Amino acid sequence: MKRMLSGIKPTGSVTLGNYLGAIKPFVEYQDEYEMFVFVANLHSMTIYVEPKELRENTKNLIALYLAAGLDPERVTLFLQSDVLEHAQLGWYLGCMVSMGELSRMTQYKDKLAKGESIGAGIFNYPSLMAADILMYDPDYVPVGIDQKQHCELARDIAIRFNSRYSDTFKLPEPLVPKIGAKIMDLQNPTKKMSKSGDNPKGCIYILDDINVSKKKIMSAVTDTDGKIVYDPENKPGISNLLEIYTTLTNIPISELEDKYKDSGYGDFKKDLANILGESLEKIQTQYKEIIKGDYITKVLDQGAQKASFLAKKKLAKVERKLGITIRK
Ligand code: AMP
Ligand code: TRP
């Protein structure tokens, strides 16, 4: 069985973009791959978060993974900070990547261009992400398009390490879903749906009131041409809604175009709002059960144990090769 690994930062509430671009595909992958899924809480330190909020977001995210259908018996689900080896390997790998490579990362460049105050963590975090990935020798790393570059850097670092110190890391491949990789803002469909968008009506949150979310679909920006056709370039609004529809239902876009060829935007949106409502309802019901007891802690303990076992072995190997270890 091929191995797959991915992580999500526990910053802010989980959006429909996170769900369709990351959580739902993981749930589908678990039948086919040996999955490692973790909550990247060390990464959330790159920008200030209220500790109380961080705790809540972390718990919610894990509960949502489970509510969406990840099975902790099959998937190693863990919290990054529970496996200390990540930070240690991140340090070694950070010493093997150049300032030039890190400053070419789009996410860093965007922040720099905006003139925001930037902590060193934002600059450095791709080396920690490389450690997260390389630690477990995954074949594939499913990510949204914005994270592809960081995965490629991890691969470059692995190649460098292997050629300098002999074969140690498997070379991972980023896996970007063709559909659903970039769900757009409902009010501004040329921009990615994100918690930090300008208009709250543009972003749907998984744990929000379901009627509010359905209304956001109904008021999504479209165009005046009136045809339900997938054409992201010229019809970004309706194409985005088609992407949401197809990722929620797994019905191919061509079938949807056919189904709605004689319908108006209003009817199409109403159907989509209902489909979304049903999905959210299912997840929220599960979520309420999961969040109650200490189930989450149990899942995390089990996940940390499995992940630590592999991480310890990998770090020991790395340290032997580096010459850090002097004991036999
Ligand atoms: P973030 O919320 O930016 O930390 O992203 C967490 C995960 O969700 C990453 O794998 C992202 O690529 C994915 N993701 C975030 N926003 C979207 C979106 N609008 N469409 C698809 N995937 C997304
Ligand atoms: N940096 C990723 C993000 O911001 C999260 C992440 C951290 C990750 N480590 C990872 C994703 C390893 C995939 C693999 O979304």
Side-chain angles (χ1 to χ4, degrees):
M1 213 178 205
K2 296 257 188 207
R3 189 177 281 182
M4 191 175 260
L5 170 138
S6 198
I8 308 195
K9 273 193 316 215
T11 38
S13 314
V14 176
T15 68
L16 184 65
N18 296 140
Y19 174 65
L20 295 180
I23 299 179
K24 187 169 180 282
F26 294 174
V27 175
E28 284 162 13
Y29 290 139
Q30 72 184 340
D31 297 327
E32 221 178 311
Y33 297 94
E34 180 193 5
M35 294 280 300
F36 286 72
V37 177
F38 68 96
V39 175
N41 58 350
L42 298 184
H43 288 267
S44 58
M45 291 290 101
T46 52
I47 23 175
Y48 175 75
V49 207
E50 285 273 349
K52 181 169 172 276
E53 201 186 314
L54 180 59
R55 253 191 304 271
E56 250 161 47
N57 289 339
T58 305
K59 269 183 81 174
N60 280 351
L61 188 53
I62 295 154
L64 277 175
Y65 271 126
L66 296 166
L70 269 197
D71 171 6
E73 293 308 316
R74 282 188 288 163
V75 173
T76 306
L77 179 59
F78 66 101
L79 193 57
Q80 187 186 23
S81 61
D82 281 343
V83 185
L84 302 182
E85 286 77 10
H86 284 236
Q88 182 112 350
L89 182 60
W91 168 254
Y92 297 135
L93 301 183
C95 293
M96 300 193 62
V97 62
S98 73
M99 301 274 286
E101 284 173 307
L102 291 175
S103 47
R104 280 195 290 278
M105 296 295 115
T106 315
Q107 214 171 42
Y108 163 72
K109 283 202 298 194
D110 287 352
K111 285 225 157 44
L112 199 65
K114 280 193 199 148
E116 291 171 16
S117 148
I118 298 178
I122 292 275
F123 183 70
N124 259 327
Y125 97 87
S127 51
L128 179 60
M129 182 160 162
D132 300 336
I133 296 172
L134 301 181
M135 187 76 90
Y136 302 97
D137 291 322
D139 298 278
Y140 301 109
V141 182
V143 281
I145 194 98
D146 54 331
Q147 293 295 323
K148 188 165 175 249
Q149 203 186 16
H150 296 147
C151 292
E152 285 161 352
L153 184 66
R155 189 184 167 91
D156 290 345
I157 296 174
I159 293 173
R160 194 166 304 159
F161 192 104
N162 289 351
S163 72
R164 212 180 268 176
Y165 299 102
S166 83
D167 213 19
T168 309
F169 297 118
K170 188 161 208 166
L171 305 186
E173 260 182 60
L175 198 80
V176 179
K178 282 194 190 68
I179 295 287
K182 203 167 181 182
I183 300 297
M184 297 301 190
D185 188 293
L186 299 172
Q187 290 298 316
N188 184 359
T190 53
K191 262 186 51 196
K192 186 177 119 165
M193 180 185 284
S194 113
K195 350 178 196 231
S196 53
D198 302 329
N199 186 339
K201 279 164 84 182
C203 182
I204 287 175
Y205 296 97
I206 299 298
L207 291 175
D208 239 2
D209 183 281
I210 293 175
N211 283 325
V212 170
S213 299
K214 286 166 86 170
K215 281 195 188 119
K216 287 181 182 174
I217 293 287
M218 294 309 294
S219 62
V221 165
T222 49
D223 52 53
T224 51
D225 147 83
K227 294 201 180 68
I228 297 161
V229 174
Y230 186 73
D231 177 0
E233 190 99 331
N234 301 307
K235 294 167 69 66
I238 208 73
S239 301
N240 188 39
L241 294 180
L242 277 166
E243 287 217 18
I244 295 175
Y245 200 135
T246 185
T247 6
L248 279 173
T249 58
N250 293 338
I251 302 174
I253 287 192
S254 55
E255 272 181 40
L256 293 175
E257 286 174 332
D258 200 41
K259 177 171 163 136
Y260 289 101
K261 65 178 184 305
D262 299 320
S263 313
Y265 290 164
D267 288 339
F268 170 72
K269 280 178 168 178
K270 213 189 261 168
D271 281 2
L272 176 57
N274 286 333
I275 287 166
L276 175 73
E278 276 168 30
S279 297
L280 292 180
E281 176 127 33
K282 248 194 240 161
I283 298 174
Q284 291 186 5
T285 309
Q286 289 288 328
Y287 167 86
K288 281 179 197 140
E289 277 304 305
I290 287 162
I291 206 82
K292 269 195 229 151
D294 60 353
Y295 178 60
I296 292 181
T297 336
K298 283 197 190 122
V299 168
L300 288 183
D301 287 348
Q302 184 181 318
Q305 211 177 10
K306 282 202 252 172
S308 293
F309 176 77
L310 293 174
K312 280 195 169 54
K313 261 195 359 202
K314 186 57 116 188
L315 188 69
K317 188 171 182 184
V318 165
E319 292 189 325
R320 261 196 320 274
K321 297 210 180 185
L322 290 173
I324 288 280
T325 312
I326 54 163
R327 294 178 190 83
K328 290 246 171 180

